[in-house]
Amino acid sequence: MAGPGYAVIDVETTGFVAERHDRIVEIAVVHVDAGGAVTGSWETLLNPHRDLGAQHIHGIRARDVLDAPDFSDIASDLIDLLSGRVLVAHNAAFDSRFLYAEFSRAGFDVEEELPCLCTMRLAADIIPGSGRSLADCCAAFDIELDGAHRALVDAQATARLLGEYIAATDAGFWHPYLDRAASGRWLSATSSSDVGTRWRARGSDATAPEDFLTRIVERMPDLSGPTEHREYLALLDQCLLDRHLSVHESNELVRRADVLGVSRSTCQRLHREYFDLLVSVAWSDGVLDTNEIADLASVAQLLSLPAEVVTTALVSRPSVTVADSAPSAFALTPGDVVVITGELSRPRDDWHAELVIRGFVPRPAITKAVTLVVAADPDSLSGKARKARDYGIPIVDEAGLVRLLS
């Protein structure tokens, strides 16, 4: 007798080598019954504790996975979702290889793999001449595939494709797989709670951090002085090098304000002073161009300043002058060591060549001698980025590097 049906999976990964260093960063499971009807779906991001790889393909940012579960956190849930079912994927060799590698890392010994079907391979017999990609196969049945390279989108499309395959073929083809899955003994695990409670779907904002300023403690009285204020402003300037506040940078600003005893209201005042200094620099040649206006608007938003401060900056200079204080203490100088991590839009070799031409020293590894780290994602979880944070080395994105070199 046919078992409960199929578990269609799709994974997004950091790369292609499951057996070595690449990891799953998103997984989706869709249940399909023996007749081809979808009966349930689950999805979650996973924290791979490493660089996310080709982010331009899967679109997942490091900040998205900072609070996501590890694979080991959901392994028992997955066992419940997969047990007794036929595993199905489009290019199943790829997805199953990553799945079993992750189970192995989590301490589960997979002695016998699940019965498995590949909708890509089945296409050659069921829809010959249609092409092998998921998009081609879906097009043959007019199945919508909007938002490819998101695990749940691809898994749902594959599940619908499986339903079409089942409807187009004799049931006798599918029953042996279903019977084998239903009667087989696979991994054993017991979830500590209902399946899916630890899972975190992409786009979920349930654990999204608040604006960093609102997390800074409001002290009464504030006993911090000029020394603490300069230290806070120095960190703020470093965090804003690329005009982007990563989650790590926001958290460090909150932590540093707490250590220094700087209150929220004082931070608000310091933010305004910092902004006014930037305005003074922008006005130093007597004109604000469109790039300077856009830059000031970006900084104002990052610092939670009201929109009217930008409007005011367009028509009048602030009372401070450039001589009062340097609004940007950080600058690259010839001989500085620069490390690049992650996949930038420009090839790394090209960047290294340009850095050398400009007198800088590109290096492959992080030491305390490094001046700057350039990451595809400023919240990168790569070992290089983690070490840079330990050493207090600034991390900027590719646009930030361009800004510093201009």
Side-chain angles (χ1 to χ4, degrees):
M1 179 179 291
Y6 308 86
V8 180
I9 69 165
D10 186 82
V11 300
E12 298 298 325
T13 67
T14 62
F16 303 101
V17 189
E19 298 78 10
R20 295 179 60 187
H21 56 276
D22 284 315
R23 306 293 301 272
I24 295 176
V25 295
E26 186 178 39
I27 187 167
V29 180
V30 177
H31 279 178
V32 177
D33 67 20
V38 172
T39 59
S41 63
W42 299 261
E43 65 172 324
T44 188
L45 293 164
L46 295 173
N47 189 331
H49 297 286
R50 54 144 291 169
D51 185 78
L52 290 172
Q55 290 174 268
H56 64 284
I57 295 177
H58 53 60
I60 299 170
R61 303 166 301 172
R63 67 188 307 157
D64 297 328
V65 303
L66 289 178
D67 296 321
D70 298 346
F71 184 89
S72 59
D73 294 327
I74 67 155
S76 295
D77 289 354
L78 274 175
I79 291 171
D80 287 345
L81 293 173
L82 302 179
S83 292
R85 293 177 177 270
V86 179
L87 189 68
V88 180
H90 200 80
N91 192 6
F94 177 87
D95 293 75
S96 62
R97 187 167 68 248
F98 269 91
L99 181 68
Y100 294 133
E102 292 285 8
F103 272 122
S104 179
R105 290 190 190 96
F108 292 90
D109 186 14
V110 183
E111 296 182 356
E112 182 179 350
E113 296 183 355
L114 290 164
C116 184
L117 288 168
C118 177
T119 52
M120 183 179 73
R121 291 183 176 275
L122 289 172
D125 295 322
I126 299 175
I127 45 174
S130 67
R132 302 185 68 189
S133 72
L134 180 58
D136 287 337
C137 293
C138 286
F141 292 102
D142 199 25
I143 296 171
E144 182 178 353
L145 182 59
D146 184 16
H149 294 297
R150 174 167 175 158
L152 185 60
V153 170
D154 288 353
Q156 288 174 330
T158 303
R160 291 188 60 192
L161 183 62
L162 174 65
E164 296 289 352
Y165 284 3
I166 292 172
T169 55
D170 185 271
F173 172 81
W174 308 95
H175 282 171
Y177 291 95
L178 294 167
D179 291 342
R180 181 185 160 201
S183 61
R185 297 186 63 185
W186 197 49
L187 297 175
S188 176
T190 301
S191 297
S192 59
S193 60
D194 292 338
V195 168
T197 57
R198 290 177 292 259
W199 295 41
R200 183 181 172 194
R202 193 189 306 204
S204 170
D205 59 1
T207 57
E210 300 174 86
D211 175 81
F212 81 94
L213 185 59
T214 66
R215 292 185 283 141
I216 292 176
V217 176
E218 185 55 86
R219 291 178 172 83
M220 292 298 289
D222 180 341
L223 300 178
S224 63
T227 299
E228 290 80 13
H229 298 170
R230 284 194 296 271
E231 184 173 336
Y232 176 83
L233 284 171
L235 175 62
L236 181 69
D237 182 65
Q238 178 177 309
C239 292
L240 292 179
L241 285 176
D242 55 2
R243 298 303 189 252
H244 170 85
L245 273 180
S246 70
V247 172
H248 287 99
E249 289 168 338
S250 296
N251 291 342
E252 181 59 17
L253 284 167
V254 174
R255 189 194 71 81
R256 191 71 63 86
D258 185 57
V259 170
L260 296 173
V262 181
S263 71
R264 188 188 314 156
S265 59
T266 299
C267 285
Q268 289 173 315
R269 176 174 60 80
L270 294 174
H271 290 180
R272 180 58 188 265
E273 291 177 4
Y274 180 87
F275 178 81
D276 286 346
L277 287 168
L278 292 181
V279 174
S280 183
V281 170
W283 268 110
S284 61
D285 60 358
V287 63
L288 289 181
D289 62 31
T290 55
N291 289 332
E292 289 169 328
I293 294 171
D295 185 56
L296 292 174
S298 174
V299 172
Q301 182 178 28
L302 289 170
L303 297 183
S304 301
L305 295 174
E308 52 264 29
V309 301
V310 180
T311 304
T312 301
L314 299 182
V315 296
S316 63
R317 303 186 190 192
S319 58
V320 295
T321 65
V322 179
D324 291 332
S325 179
S328 182
F330 184 93
L332 286 174
T333 57
D336 283 345
V337 179
V338 179
V339 172
I340 294 175
T341 181
E343 298 185 24
L344 306 185
S345 63
R346 184 177 176 185
R348 188 175 301 187
D349 288 345
D350 288 358
W351 269 123
H352 281 187
E354 178 165 344
L355 288 170
V356 170
I357 290 172
R358 290 172 176 262
F360 306 114
V361 183
R363 286 285 185 262
I366 299 293
T367 68
K368 292 183 179 180
V370 172
T371 305
L372 181 74
V373 172
V374 183
D377 185 335
D379 270 315
S380 174
L381 302 177
S382 72
K384 291 180 182 178
R386 291 198 299 270
K387 183 61 70 175
R389 293 186 191 103
D390 290 342
Y391 290 157
I393 300 169
I395 301 174
V396 301
D397 59 16
E398 191 170 13
L401 177 59
V402 172
R403 176 184 175 81
L404 288 170
L405 295 179
S406 64

